Amino acid sequence: MPVFDLAEAQIAVHWKEEDHIPPPSSFVEQANLTDPDVDKRFALENFPECFNEYAEMLTWFKRWEKTLDDSNPPFWKWFTGGLINASTNCLDRHLPAKAEQAAFIFVPEIESEPLERITYQELYNRVNEAAAVLRDVCGLQSGDRVTIHMPQVPELPISMLACARLGIIHSVVFSGFSGHACGQRLADSGSRVLITMDGYYRGGEAIDHKEKADIAVSAAKLSGQIVDKVLVWRRHRDRTKSSAPMIDGRDFFMDDLLKRYAGARVAAVPMPAEAPLFLMYTSGTTDKPKGCQHSTGGYLAYVTGTAKYFLDIKETDVYWCTADIGWITGHSYTVYGPLALGTTSVIYEGMPTYPDAGRVWRIAERLGANIFHTAPTAIRMLRKSGPDEPKKYDYHFKLMVTFGEPIEPEVWRWYYEAVGKKEAVIVDTWWQTESGGFLCATKPALQPMKPGSAGPGVPGIHLVIYDEEGNVPPAQKAGNVCVRNPWPGIMQTIWRDPDRFVATYYKKYCKDPRSKQWCDWPYFTGDGAVCSDDGYFRILGRIDDVINVAGHRLGTKELESACLVVTDVAEAAVVSVADDARGRVPDVYISLKPGIVASESIERAVADQLEMLIGKIARPKSVRIVPDMPKTRSGKIMRRVLAAISNEMPVGDTTNLANPEVVEQIRSMVRRDD
Ligand code: WTA
């Protein structure tokens, strides 16, 4: 019996083995990655120098001396001795050749608003001006942290690149997170500057975003972090979309400040390759999100190399990744990888189905997008709302990506046939915030696709499946997927918590904690997987206390602590339940303090609390008040039993329960509700 409660990986559906589908020849003929021996180049005998290939795609102030410094496992240092700046690689080096080429095309959600075409020259100008504000108005310098809580607008990458230009570590918080969640991340990162926006559009609604900044600053203060400046971008220049007041001396409109810096140029700071570029908070097994710290040189090299080979990006492409820039996919594969490669990217502000199910395909047609990168949740939504829409539009994708969750073979086929019109190759990419870039994917021109499988490890990623004891299970048996070797995109540490870094990712399978050999430190991904005879991995889901809700990672502990804020709640247990549209959603069970009578208002209060403390993405499928939680004799809540009930699966062995009678009570409650 595994030590964890019923996890995502165990509620995985058992898909049958699917057939291989070859990539379309039109794709193969023009692909970036065509060398069938690429895996040999990246074989372990060529490790770590094989990764120089990716670093050589970048422009360095000073070339690195050592590819990998592994003297202090598992704190790997890539390309040491090298000096580099991420913003010059995304901007300066493309000028003047690409001055007139669009770096970004911004598509506002409101269809009647004009598109915004931002050339490489204009992006360069705007990043420099924003960097001048950070340096001169805020007094920031390299190594400082800045939290950015912004929606899907070009000012978000502009803010990120302005930080990168000065060596300031950015920490972007997804705009869907609440002010409270943002405040928690502000405090943990030690940011004294918050960059935000007045508002944005989502689903046709004008959202007030600045009001979250005020909550965030107060929440940070409660945790001991003073935020002294809040920089507010305006969705429409000189027109405010928020009713929240501007606090004198603290809040500044960016467009006002920028007027003073028109035409400013800020020299990019040459940063050591291993200087942190950014933090990205992600959920784990405790209620405290972890700040994954990513390096400048290693990270940028890895996302550039993998974007070139697996997204097949060329300068002449129009590439569209729908992932929010506030998550790792947007960082790696909307901002840093594609800009380093000098391509044109689309940024769309709003909902894929707004105002109708044809919107996405209309954008693709109008802009001539030829690479499309999205997640199964969006694909499911588009399929449901307009299965026949794609054929009404004249666009042609050469490559399409799916990421973030397992994709059901049925949904995969619709993506391939209806969206891709059988002309596009599909790359299913498995990876994580921690990994910086792709871990598994098929090489688009060299390997056949298999619906529902992410494929083999990408070049230089050597995977192994272990059972709970660290043995390699027989072929085709599910287990915990690990990476045997370090790679340049791997996070450096958890911000301010190196012990948690080692405990979370390495402790489980490191046989000798004193070992100085990298091969003794396999990286534990936290995912369950099976590997088929063809070497393709199928990812089953998280084996820890993390729920992947529509591609957003949420920690069960985070959700449970939010429920406990409601004073009537004595105990809370959150489990993951399979959902047709969102993949997985949280399902909440609560028990009440003695003497409190169950009521719908308590259930509503819990759901509201989740939304307030975490964000709308945490809205549960249901909140159920139970007479008691199923508990072990030692008093531990057995989430496994609740998860089985929510997912209509057998509860299994309950002999260990102190109160087995509650199982039937809860089960009949759930059946009644359904
Ligand atoms: C899951 C998103 C199946 C997995 C890039 C992982 C996937 C978690 C896939 C990371 C995929 C990611 N197939 N599952 N192609 N890609 N996952 O940090 O459980 O937001 O551990 O990074 O998403 O989510 P994160």
Side-chain angles (χ1 to χ4, degrees):
M1 193 59 216
V3 290
F4 42 83
D5 292 340
L6 188 79
E8 286 202 333
Q10 291 161 293
I11 41 176
V13 256
H14 291 280
W15 298 327
K16 67 177 175 50
E17 190 68 20
E18 295 279 332
D19 291 334
H20 288 140
I21 300 169
S25 52
S26 53
F27 176 81
V28 175
E29 282 154 19
Q30 59 79 66
N32 283 341
L33 179 58
T34 50
D35 176 9
D37 286 335
V38 58
D39 280 325
K40 279 192 203 139
R41 282 205 315 270
F42 282 85
L44 277 178
E45 70 224 42
N46 298 325
F47 178 86
E49 281 74 22
C50 52
F51 283 113
N52 288 347
E53 179 171 330
Y54 289 169
E56 278 157 5
M57 292 177 187
L58 303 175
T59 306
W60 295 75
F61 290 109
K62 178 173 170 281
R63 193 185 160 95
W64 59 100
E65 282 150 21
K66 201 164 191 233
T67 303
L68 172 64
D69 172 355
D70 57 356
S71 56
N72 182 27
F75 300 93
W76 321 114
K77 289 184 177 166
W78 285 90
F79 309 119
T80 50
L83 291 175
I84 190 166
N85 185 284
S87 93
T88 53
N89 273 280
C90 294
L91 302 169
D92 310 40
R93 70 167 177 161
H94 302 313
L95 297 174
K98 289 177 179 293
E100 295 308 313
Q101 185 193 313
F104 288 126
I105 303 173
F106 174 57
V107 183
E109 193 190 65
I110 307 296
E111 220 165 349
S112 55
E113 266 191 39
L115 303 181
E116 197 184 341
R117 195 170 170 276
I118 304 174
T119 63
Y120 272 93
Q121 183 65 54
E122 192 188 343
L123 189 62
Y124 171 85
N125 297 349
R126 294 182 67 183
V127 166
N128 271 273
E129 290 162 6
V133 168
L134 298 181
R135 186 188 60 190
D136 299 350
V137 178
C138 304
L140 292 162
Q141 55 185 16
S142 65
D144 289 342
R145 280 81 53 210
V146 164
T147 295
I148 307 178
H149 192 206
M150 285 179 67
Q152 193 63 351
V153 289
E155 288 77 9
L156 171 51
I158 288 171
S159 306
M160 292 161 65
L161 291 165
C163 289
R165 196 155 190 87
L166 294 166
I168 297 165
I169 304 168
H170 58 71
S171 168
V172 179
V173 176
F174 170 55
S175 58
F177 275 130
S178 67
H180 184 275
C182 176
Q184 194 183 15
R185 289 156 178 78
L186 266 168
D188 190 81
S189 63
S191 303
R192 60 176 185 81
V193 174
L194 169 66
I195 308 181
T196 186
M197 191 156 217
D198 57 350
Y200 60 99
Y201 293 97
R202 185 90 196 154
E205 229 185 290
I207 312 265
D208 187 334
H209 191 64
K210 163 68 169 56
E211 63 181 23
K212 288 186 179 174
D214 300 323
I215 300 168
V217 172
S218 318
K221 193 172 171 197
L222 280 178
S223 305
Q225 178 64 37
I226 303 295
V227 175
D228 54 37
K229 293 226 165 29
V230 178
L231 306 181
V232 186
W233 290 95
R234 274 194 267 216
R235 175 64 179 75
H236 293 112
R237 283 185 204 180
D238 305 320
R239 202 161 17 115
T240 315
K241 300 208 79 57
S242 170
S243 55
M246 294 291 279
I247 308 291
D248 210 26
R250 187 197 76 181
D251 300 355
F252 300 87
F253 284 121
M254 268 305 253
D255 49 332
D256 287 346
L257 297 175
L258 284 165
K259 283 181 192 144
R260 282 190 251 154
Y261 293 94
R265 293 289 176 267
V266 172
V269 180
M271 299 298 294
E274 68 273 23
L277 176 63
F278 67 89
L279 308 179
M280 160 99 0
Y281 281 86
T282 190
S283 299
T285 48
T286 75
D287 58 356
K288 196 171 159 256
K290 3 175 225 214
C292 295
Q293 177 185 318
H294 280 286
S295 73
T296 307
Y299 169 81
L300 196 63
Y302 196 69
V303 299
T304 305
T306 49
K308 179 166 179 177
Y309 290 163
F310 289 90
L311 305 178
D312 201 59
I313 289 180
K314 298 183 181 60
E315 297 176 343
T316 46
D317 288 324
V318 177
Y319 165 80
W320 183 11
C321 175
T322 70
D324 197 286
I325 295 171
W327 296 111
I328 192 68
T329 306
H331 275 47
S332 300
Y333 298 118
T334 299
V335 181
Y336 288 113
L339 288 180
L341 293 171
T343 197
T344 298
S345 283
V346 179
I347 297 180
Y348 171 53
E349 176 180 31
M351 289 243 299
T353 48
Y354 184 84
D356 57 66
R359 182 68 192 274
V360 165
W361 320 124
R362 236 171 7 254
I363 296 172
E365 176 185 83
R366 176 160 180 205
L367 302 182
N370 65 340
I371 306 176
F372 187 61
H373 189 156
T374 198
T377 294
I379 306 172
R380 285 185 216 112
M381 193 201 294
L382 290 164
R383 176 174 179 246
K384 193 166 167 216
S385 56
D388 299 321
E389 285 299 305
K391 63 163 151 319
K392 298 183 190 158
Y393 297 91
D394 184 23
Y395 65 82
H396 298 276
F397 295 144
K398 65 167 180 174
L399 181 141
M400 304 192 302
V401 186
T402 166
F403 75 95
E405 311 155 68
I407 182 164
E408 299 81 356
E410 270 300 298
V411 178
W412 190 99
R413 273 188 277 275
W414 180 78
Y415 197 34
Y416 180 66
E417 285 161 18
V419 177
K421 306 173 178 179
K422 295 192 181 171
E423 301 165 335
V425 64
I426 295 183
V427 196
D428 184 341
T429 59
W430 168 67
W431 59 296
Q432 330 178 280
T433 303
E434 293 87 338
S435 73
F438 302 145
L439 292 174
C440 267
T442 44
K443 297 174 193 69
L446 296 168
Q447 287 168 326
M449 308 169 255
K450 188 161 83 172
S453 284
V458 299
I461 298 293
H462 301 276
L463 298 168
V464 60
I465 288 181
Y466 287 130
D467 66 14
E468 280 300 304
E469 278 72 49
N471 303 310
V472 177
Q476 311 225 22
K477 273 265 173 300
N480 303 336
V481 59
C482 297
V483 188
R484 290 163 59 196
N485 58 295
W487 66 99
I490 177 76
M491 66 190 280
Q492 298 176 294
T493 185
I494 294 176
W495 178 252
R496 288 184 172 160
D497 204 348
D499 293 343
R500 188 173 172 200
F501 172 67
V502 178
T504 308
Y505 304 105
Y506 292 97
K507 201 170 146 220
K508 192 172 175 84
Y509 293 119
C510 177
K511 292 202 175 77
D512 176 10
R514 283 158 313 173
S515 168
K516 295 283 175 202
Q517 308 275 322
W518 60 258
C519 48
D520 290 327
W521 295 85
Y523 166 81
F524 169 56
T525 64
D527 277 322
V530 275
C531 183
S532 306
D533 286 343
D534 54 13
Y536 283 28
F537 286 80
R538 189 149 76 70
I539 306 302
L540 302 172
R542 304 290 313 180
I543 56 166
D544 52 15
D545 293 331
V546 172
I547 308 181
N548 187 337
V549 180
H552 307 295
R553 263 168 74 170
L554 298 174
T556 47
K557 289 264 166 49
E558 266 172 275
L559 299 165
E560 287 165 4
S561 358
C563 300
L564 293 176
V565 171
V566 176
T567 45
D568 294 338
V569 175
E571 290 174 310
V574 177
V575 299
S576 162
V577 57
D579 179 83
D580 283 348
R582 295 201 281 161
R584 302 264 194 270
V585 283
D587 209 11
V588 176
Y589 293 87
I590 50 173
S591 66
L592 304 178
K593 288 182 181 157
I596 306 286
V597 181
S599 71
E600 264 180 37
S601 69
I602 300 178
E603 294 172 359
R604 232 175 299 121
V606 167
D608 289 349
Q609 207 51 238
L610 284 166
E611 217 171 281
M612 196 175 91
L613 292 178
I614 295 165
K616 280 208 169 68
I617 47 171
R619 214 176 14 227
K621 179 177 178 217
S622 63
V623 177
R624 292 199 174 91
I625 300 174
V626 295
D628 196 7
M629 296 285 179
K631 284 191 192 133
T632 60
R633 283 171 217 286
S634 58
K636 187 174 175 270
I637 299 177
M638 279 188 92
R639 285 208 209 94
R640 171 175 73 77
V641 170
L642 296 170
I645 295 174
S646 285
N647 288 286
E648 295 169 23
M649 286 168 66
V651 289
D653 184 8
T654 54
T655 47
N656 207 13
L657 284 181
N659 52 353
E661 68 287 351
V662 299
V663 175
E664 252 337 288
Q665 282 176 26
I666 299 175
R667 192 195 281 288
S668 51
M669 246 177 82
V670 170
R671 280 213 192 106
R672 207 172 47 235
D673 289 358
D674 292 343

